[in-house]
Amino acid sequence: MVRYVIYILLLLIAVNSHATDAKLSTQFSPSSGCNLTVTQNIGVVILNVDVSPKIYPPAITVKYQINGGAIVSEGVNTPIDQGTTFNFTFAQKANLSACDTDFNIVVWLEFVGDTDHSNDTLKWTVRNDCTVIPGQALSDQTVCEGINNGTVNLTGNSHGTVTSWIYSTNNGATWSSLSNTSNPYNFSGLTTTTLYAVAINGGYCPNDTSTYTTITVDPTPIGGTLNGPTNLCISSSSGTITLNGSSGAISNWESSTDNGSTWSNIANTTTNESFTSLSQTTWYRVQIDGGACPNVYSNVLQIQVDPLTVIGTLTPDTSVCANESVNLKLSSTIGDITQWESSSDGITWTPIASTNNPYNTGTLSSSIYYRVVAQSGICPSQTSNQIFVNVTTGVTPGNIAGADSLCESNANGILTVSGNSENVLNWESSVDNGTTWTTITNPTTTENYTGLTQTTWYRALIDGNGCLNVYTDTAIIAVTSMSQAGTLTPDTSVCVGDAFNLKVNGSIGDTYTWQVSPDGITWVDISNLVAPSIVISPVTSPNYYRLIVKNGICGTDVSNIVLVDTLGLPSVNAGPDVTIIKGDTTQLNGSGGLFGIWTPGGTLSDSLIYMPNAFPVNTTTYILGVIGANGCFNFDEVKVIVRSMTFDVKNVITLNDDSYNDTWIIEGIEDFPNTTVEVYNIYGQQVFKEDNYKNDWKGTYKGKSLPNGTYLYIAKPSGKDDGAVKGTLTIMGHE
């Protein structure tokens, strides 16, 4: 006891003599894992940081607590040298067997005199994952290809986490993941048999996969195609139908004799169906078992059963007149007429391209035999009895002679029927091209006509003598109206240069010839003028005119004569063209006629007087129109040229005859006629003057060249001081 007290005193002395520190440096047990037990060690590493020379028991107490539960406290019974570590394992084991649980472990130490408590505690988490029980994916189903949906469930599973649903379309040889972790899983639109399972993450335990469920996909059935006879005669209505190209089991065959309204079951699950002695048209089809899919049918095969042909009876023999027709009818037949046939001798037959019943023979000219062929579907055809149509020779209508084209002035003549085999009953006429006819009571073979005024058609009706009456051909008497030249416009007078429209009224004709004459005696055709109205333009001299008209075959007719006289134009003079400087005014000098007017009048002082003042801002052409005593108009025009004062005076004359500046040039002077130029020497003496300068002065005075030097000039447009241009001129080159 004394020794223990001494040890404690020494320890206290050691602790109090300098700073002391012990720490938990790390843990070594337990770690997260699979299937942890109820007896898991809790182990930590204790470090003697600076206790010298040792930490002796029972100075250190170590404690642990799990998930805030009961605290376990144990002392360290082994001395720990300064600067060394000690692996301490609690004697009391920890129960970490709870599955899928996180254990939060806290371990700390208590040491008397410890100066640093920040390193006395360790905390860590341990995860216990238990072995996965993967469960089963339920349940197996059979669905139809493409038109399906359903649900599969995962049941009986525990532990672990669902990673994803997985599927296989090759019976489990390979698997693919689905982005789905929910339960249950909904599928839809499968086109092939598919296995489904669930992949489970075991955490610290091995991963596992549930058992799979199978979704069997039945393919969409194919009804297939029936092949067999489609048309049979009732006398041979047996055969076999074959089903090709179907998929799926055959449930049964069906037949219908009312065009598919009702169907009868046939207990046959093979691909062939035999039938015998069908008595009526029958439809067949096959039902295919679709499994999970809807049942389907093949196409419908219709077997048409045709009744035996019954030819029936043809219309009896008959007689008709020539050029008449007859309707032939086949009665009590079973089948369709395939053709009519005709024969001239009852032995050799010619087909007729007609299946009509009754059949109209059309106009007959000779006796003839007929028969008809009929057939019911594909059953053998039958030929009817033959009949004889006796054709009585008809009437020959004959022809009319005497058709003619006549002028109205002589529309008389005779028409005669010839070649007719029977008597004339009457004649008929038409004035509307045969639309309507008027009966003429005349039973003879001749018809006299007189004084026709329009085209008339004639025909004769011939007695049919028991057959139909017939008409002769038609004779046309074409009557042309008499030519009428009509009346021309009265005499008139026209101003020289004007146009005149010459018209005719009341003319009848199809050919018009206009003629002109200077004296009314000698006439000349006017070419290219063949209409009933002409325009004479311009009228330059007096002339006589007339019109010759011809209608068809009738003679010509001449119109009255008209005189188109001429009226002289008044004299007119708008004066000469003039050039002015922009901004100036000039007076126009017009004359002629009784009265005049100027256009345009906007830049004139008065457009109704002959000599107005003009003040245009741009070059303008003025037109003076005057009227004479005879009412005729005449026109003249004058141009007022407006120029800006743009003289370009060349200020040098070189007297060397080099064709350059040999004369004094004033550019633009040509726009101002009568411009006066004057030249003075430096002493004020005038050495040159010209009132209408033409750019031709060579620097001479009295026939001799002026001395070299500078001269003064003045240029006066139109000789006026107003607007004069002044400057200096240099003469050089004089020897």
Side-chain angles (χ1 to χ4, degrees):
M1 182 65 182
V2 174
R3 182 182 297 174
Y4 180 74
V5 172
I6 294 172
Y7 172 77
I8 294 298
L9 291 174
L10 291 174
L11 178 62
L12 292 174
I13 293 171
V15 169
N16 293 327
S17 62
H18 58 81
T20 60
D21 185 23
K23 63 180 287 188
L24 293 177
S25 62
T26 186
Q27 77 278 359
F28 59 84
S29 178
S31 298
S32 296
C34 178
N35 295 323
L36 298 181
T37 68
V38 297
T39 57
Q40 292 295 138
N41 289 325
I42 305 296
V44 295
V45 177
I46 302 173
L47 172 65
N48 179 358
V49 179
D50 57 2
V51 178
S52 177
K54 295 181 179 181
I55 298 176
Y56 293 95
I60 296 178
T61 299
V62 184
K63 300 179 179 181
Y64 77 84
Q65 185 182 40
I66 299 176
N67 287 345
I71 298 174
V72 176
S73 177
E74 295 182 5
V76 178
N77 297 319
T78 301
I80 304 172
D81 292 332
Q82 183 180 19
T84 64
T85 61
F86 173 70
N87 292 342
F88 176 80
T89 299
F90 285 93
Q92 184 170 330
K93 309 300 183 181
N95 182 2
L96 303 183
S97 62
C99 292
D100 308 321
T101 303
D102 291 324
F103 296 96
N104 298 312
I105 302 173
V106 181
V107 179
W108 69 97
L109 62 78
E110 294 178 357
F111 174 38
V112 178
D114 195 346
T115 60
D116 185 2
H117 294 293
S118 64
N119 54 13
D120 292 348
T121 302
L122 290 177
K123 296 179 180 180
W124 73 99
T125 299
V126 173
R127 170 77 178 178
N128 180 37
D129 287 325
C130 294
T131 301
V132 171
I133 299 173
Q136 304 86 35
L138 301 176
S139 61
D140 293 349
Q141 302 173 49
T142 300
V143 297
C144 182
E145 177 184 1
I147 50 173
N148 56 75
N149 59 76
T151 300
V152 290
N153 290 275
L154 176 64
T155 62
N157 64 301
S158 62
H159 309 316
T161 303
V162 173
T163 301
S164 66
W165 283 83
I166 58 176
Y167 70 97
S168 173
T169 57
N170 53 12
N171 201 31
T174 59
W175 292 84
S176 301
S177 295
L178 296 167
S179 58
N180 188 307
T181 60
S182 61
N183 189 31
Y185 170 70
N186 297 317
F187 65 85
S188 64
L190 298 183
T191 59
T192 185
T193 295
T194 304
L195 310 183
Y196 287 101
V198 178
I200 299 177
N201 185 344
Y204 291 99
C205 294
N207 297 338
D208 206 345
T209 302
S210 71
T211 61
Y212 62 81
T213 186
T214 302
I215 309 301
T216 302
V217 176
D218 284 348
T220 302
I222 299 173
T225 303
L226 292 179
N227 295 291
T230 58
N231 200 261
L232 297 173
C233 185
I234 195 171
S235 61
S236 179
S237 55
S238 301
T240 300
I241 307 170
T242 301
L243 175 65
N244 296 311
S246 64
S247 67
I250 295 176
S251 296
N252 57 269
W253 287 67
E254 295 178 1
S255 65
S256 173
T257 56
D258 56 7
N259 298 327
S261 295
T262 60
W263 291 87
S264 299
N265 185 66
I266 301 173
N268 179 9
T269 59
T270 70
T271 57
N272 296 310
E273 169 66 15
S274 297
F275 58 90
T276 58
S277 302
L278 293 183
S279 60
Q280 58 186 317
T281 295
T282 305
W283 292 11
Y284 288 92
R285 69 184 182 183
V286 178
Q287 185 181 57
I288 305 298
D289 185 357
C293 297
N295 295 343
V296 296
Y297 282 98
S298 69
N299 67 307
V300 173
L301 178 68
Q302 175 182 301
I303 300 178
Q304 175 76 34
V305 178
D306 298 323
L308 287 173
T309 305
V310 176
I311 191 58
T313 305
L314 191 58
T315 304
D317 295 347
T318 188
S319 294
V320 296
C321 293
N323 299 318
E324 290 184 347
S325 64
V326 64
N327 284 331
L328 305 179
K329 185 171 183 178
L330 180 67
S331 303
S332 303
T333 186
I334 296 177
D336 298 319
I337 293 176
T338 58
Q339 67 181 28
W340 290 82
E341 295 177 345
S342 64
S343 173
S344 60
D345 55 10
I347 299 172
T348 303
W349 294 89
T350 301
I352 299 172
S354 174
T355 58
N356 294 337
N357 189 24
Y359 164 67
N360 184 276
T361 63
T363 301
L364 298 175
S365 60
S366 60
S367 298
I368 190 169
Y369 294 90
Y370 287 97
R371 70 182 185 183
V372 65
V373 179
Q375 183 177 16
S376 174
I378 65 171
C379 292
S381 63
Q382 298 288 330
T383 302
S384 74
N385 60 301
Q386 66 184 38
I387 65 165
F388 180 66
V389 179
N390 181 45
V391 178
T392 303
T393 302
V395 176
T396 302
N399 303 102
I400 298 178
D404 205 350
S405 294
L406 303 173
C407 183
E408 181 184 358
S409 61
N410 187 29
N412 309 308
I414 300 175
L415 299 174
T416 302
V417 176
S418 62
N420 53 306
S421 60
E422 298 294 336
N423 294 328
V424 174
L425 294 177
N426 58 264
W427 288 73
E428 295 179 1
S429 65
S430 174
V431 293
D432 55 9
N433 299 326
T435 302
T436 59
W437 293 87
T438 301
T439 300
I440 302 172
T441 306
N442 177 11
T444 70
T445 57
T446 60
E447 168 66 17
N448 296 324
Y449 60 87
T450 59
L452 295 184
T453 59
Q454 57 186 318
T455 295
T456 305
W457 292 13
Y458 289 93
R459 67 184 183 185
L461 181 63
I462 307 301
D463 188 353
N465 194 19
C467 292
L468 294 176
N469 298 336
V470 294
Y471 283 102
T472 64
D473 61 346
T474 300
I476 299 176
I477 309 300
V479 178
T480 302
S481 298
M482 295 180 60
S483 304
Q484 294 186 23
T487 304
L488 294 183
T489 307
D491 294 346
T492 188
S493 295
V494 180
C495 295
V496 172
D498 282 358
F500 180 70
N501 190 5
L502 193 58
K503 297 181 179 180
V504 64
N505 295 314
S507 65
I508 299 176
D510 51 22
T511 303
Y512 294 85
T513 303
W514 289 90
Q515 293 184 328
V516 62
S517 172
D519 53 13
I521 299 173
T522 303
W523 294 91
V524 177
D525 291 347
I526 303 176
S527 61
N528 300 324
L529 297 178
V530 295
S533 175
I534 64 172
V535 176
I536 304 169
S537 178
V539 177
T540 57
S541 61
N543 279 306
Y544 294 91
Y545 294 90
R546 71 181 184 183
L547 175 62
I548 299 175
V549 177
K550 186 176 187 304
N551 191 37
I553 63 173
C554 296
T556 60
D557 188 29
V558 182
S559 72
N560 60 304
I561 297 172
V562 297
L563 172 64
V564 179
D565 202 359
T566 56
L567 300 174
L569 301 180
S571 62
V572 60
N573 186 355
D577 294 345
V578 64
T579 300
I580 65 173
I581 298 173
K582 188 172 185 177
D584 281 358
T585 299
T586 186
Q587 187 176 44
L588 303 183
N589 294 291
S591 62
L594 298 178
F595 173 76
I597 183 171
W598 292 90
T599 58
T603 54
L604 298 177
S605 60
D606 189 342
S607 61
L608 299 179
I609 63 175
Y610 283 102
M611 292 183 292
N613 291 326
F615 43 87
V617 295
N618 297 302
T619 297
T620 303
T621 298
Y622 294 97
I623 299 173
L624 175 62
V626 300
I627 185 171
N630 58 7
C632 292
F633 287 89
N634 203 0
F635 301 90
D636 192 22
E637 63 182 37
V638 61
K639 180 184 288 187
V640 177
I641 303 169
V642 178
R643 303 289 188 186
S644 299
M645 177 57 72
T646 56
F647 281 171
D648 183 7
V649 182
K650 304 303 180 182
N651 60 358
V652 64
I653 300 176
T654 58
L655 305 180
N656 54 7
D657 294 325
D658 61 356
S659 299
Y660 183 72
N661 291 330
D662 290 343
T663 62
W664 184 32
I665 303 299
I666 302 176
E667 293 182 356
I669 198 170
E670 64 274 6
D671 295 332
F672 299 93
N674 302 316
T675 295
T676 299
V677 297
E678 300 172 2
V679 180
Y680 297 88
N681 59 22
I682 59 176
Y683 304 109
Q685 180 184 4
Q686 187 180 75
V687 296
F688 176 73
K689 179 180 180 182
E690 188 169 328
D691 291 333
N692 189 15
Y693 183 57
K694 303 296 186 183
N695 285 337
D696 54 359
W697 184 50
K698 294 187 176 183
T700 60
Y701 178 66
K702 294 182 179 182
K704 295 182 179 181
S705 297
L706 289 169
N708 297 339
T710 300
Y711 296 81
L712 304 177
Y713 70 82
I714 180 170
K716 302 176 181 178
S718 301
K720 299 178 181 178
D721 290 336
D722 209 10
V725 177
K726 301 178 181 179
T728 61
L729 170 65
T730 300
I731 296 177
M732 55 194 306
H734 180 68
E735 298 179 356

